[in-house]
Amino acid sequence: MRKNSVKNTRINAEVLRELSRIISREIKDPRISPMTTVVAVEVAPDLKTCKAYISVLGSEEELADTLEGLRSAHGYIKRELAHSINLRNTPDIRFIADQSIAYGVNMSKKIDIINAELHEREKAASDIGTESEDFENEEGGR
């Protein structure tokens, strides 16, 4: 099976949906943040391993605690995944912290700051242009 085959894409989507459900509804570990999201899942073509990219809305400490909680619940998650998805092999899951959402939010804030500064500069430049026109009109009238 090729890595980007239709079958692999469907399996990735199904594992992502089930992992999200298991993490949000089934696990009762207090270390796992309620704002945990499974961003992406990559199941190997042989169905033996799976990389699950996890994002947590909150601090770095909450992310570390959530990953620790997920790693400790690894056996339970794998068993629940085996019950809900009928695959030849249930993949061994590796949880990886995904910073893409936090990075995107940070970049969006920086863009907003730059746009606000640009808007202020344009406004200041137009105010200066208006003052100089008024000054020229006053001198021309004399």
Side-chain angles (χ1 to χ4, degrees), residues 1 3 6 11 24 30 44 48 64 82 84 110:
M1 176 169 61
K3 185 172 183 168
V6 173
I11 290 171
S24 66
K48 299 271 186 200
S84 61
K110 288 180 180 180

Side-chain angles (χ1 to χ4, degrees), residues 7-71:
K7 181 179 177 184
N8 201 339
T9 304
R10 276 192 312 211
I11 290 171
N12 287 342
E14 186 67 24
V15 170
L16 179 113
R17 182 174 47 242
E18 288 302 317
L19 267 180
S20 296
R21 182 189 63 77
I22 291 167
I23 290 171
S24 66
R25 297 184 188 147
E26 304 288 328
I27 298 177
K28 304 297 182 210
D29 193 333
R31 293 177 289 186
I32 297 174
S33 171
M35 299 302 289
T36 301
T37 306
V38 181
V39 177
V41 170
E42 292 177 9
V43 178
D46 63 356
L47 304 177
K48 299 271 186 200
T49 61
C50 171
K51 293 179 188 174
Y53 296 94
I54 305 295
S55 177
V56 176
L57 188 63
S59 67
E60 291 293 322
E61 183 180 329
E62 287 177 323
L63 176 63
D65 288 345
T66 297
L67 287 175
E68 184 181 329
L70 289 172
R71 289 180 182 130

